[in-house]
Amino acid sequence: MKAEPSAQLTLLDLQAVDSQVAQLQHQLAHPVEAAELAELGRRRAETDGWVRDQQIVVDDLSAAQTKADADVEQVKARRKRDQDRIDSGQVANPKDIERMQHELATLERRISVLEDEEIEVMEQLETAQAGLEQMRSDLAEIDRRAAELTSALDERAGELRQRLDEVASGRDPLVAGVPDDLLALYERIRASRGSGAALLRARRCEGCMLTLDPAAISAIRGKAEDDVVRCEECTRILVRTAESGL
């Protein structure tokens, strides 16, 4: 294939534009914030699960405290009722009084046990509620950071799209200066290699960064200026300039 040296040089400018476009597209598709947002999403799902589990613990302990309170009040009410009967003289039989006094002593011990259990449940509930509040605080912090990152990501994406449009707009004028057959070859190589043309500088292909052997250099040296030369290693179009070392 033959092409004017100027058209071949245009390929380097076209490649520079295409490389910038590819970099910008990669940055749009793989934003730096994505990894942290994904980690935040994982942490949020995990913490949200903990919150649900902890809420069940709090609910169970709240129910247990309500029952403990009711049990204490029920026994206290019974103690008061018995004490009132003794104090009011409703019970006159000494044996009945003795029996009721014994029952009152039993009720006092029962109240003491129930109050200890009530305090233990209360302490467990306070601890569980504190844990729940901390988890909710963690969730709020995760949401705050995620919102912050999302805002930064949206702003950066807008800037990248604007820059992408600016860079891509410079492609058409360059394409117009490249013959169809040379452009087709360039595009075909670029599709498989990521770049279609490279500068031959100091006898090294700037595409694959390999130095050409003497035989390859000799063969290229014998080519006409309008011959399209390709790297034997990476198949990219090699663009020759005064820097090529030929």
Side-chain angles (χ1 to χ4, degrees), residues 21-33:
V21 167
Q23 290 172 1
L24 291 168
Q25 288 174 335
H26 179 80
Q27 291 176 41
L28 271 171
H30 304 88
V32 294
E33 299 86 356

Side-chain angles (χ1 to χ4, degrees), residues 63-224:
Q65 182 179 12
T66 299
K67 182 178 183 303
D69 292 344
D71 288 346
V72 170
E73 291 306 314
Q74 183 180 24
V75 177
K76 283 183 176 180
R78 183 175 176 182
R79 180 190 62 180
K80 183 178 185 303
R81 185 173 63 252
D82 288 352
Q83 188 64 57
D84 288 347
R85 289 181 65 193
I86 293 173
D87 293 344
S88 65
Q90 295 179 21
V91 181
N93 188 306
K95 287 186 178 181
D96 288 341
I97 293 176
E98 182 180 358
R99 178 183 56 78
M100 292 188 68
Q101 287 176 337
H102 177 72
E103 183 177 341
L104 284 173
T106 301
L107 290 174
E108 286 292 344
R109 290 194 297 272
R110 179 59 179 159
I111 289 171
S112 177
V113 170
L114 288 174
E115 286 180 337
D116 287 344
E117 292 176 352
E118 183 182 33
I119 291 172
E120 183 178 354
V121 171
M122 186 181 302
E123 290 174 347
Q124 290 176 354
L125 177 58
E126 289 176 354
T127 300
Q129 288 174 329
L132 180 60
E133 287 306 310
Q134 181 58 56
M135 291 175 191
R136 285 175 173 165
S137 177
D138 292 344
L139 269 184
E141 177 57 25
I142 289 172
D143 289 343
R144 184 201 66 77
R145 178 57 179 162
E148 182 181 81
L149 282 174
T150 300
S151 177
L153 188 152
D154 290 344
E155 181 178 353
R156 178 173 168 75
E159 293 172 353
L160 286 172
R161 290 191 187 95
Q162 181 179 354
R163 178 59 180 157
L164 181 58
D165 290 342
E166 292 172 356
V167 173
S169 67
R171 193 177 196 274
D172 289 344
L174 294 173
V175 168
V178 180
D180 290 345
D181 56 349
L182 181 61
L183 181 62
L185 175 62
Y186 165 83
E187 294 289 11
R188 188 167 65 251
I189 299 170
R190 185 168 73 92
S192 62
R193 291 287 182 175
S195 60
L199 177 65
L200 176 61
R201 173 182 288 150
R203 303 186 177 186
R204 185 178 70 172
C205 171
E206 295 286 287
C208 61
M209 307 307 291
L210 293 177
T211 299
L212 277 63
D213 60 42
I217 292 296
S218 179
I220 292 173
R221 189 183 293 119
K223 299 284 187 179

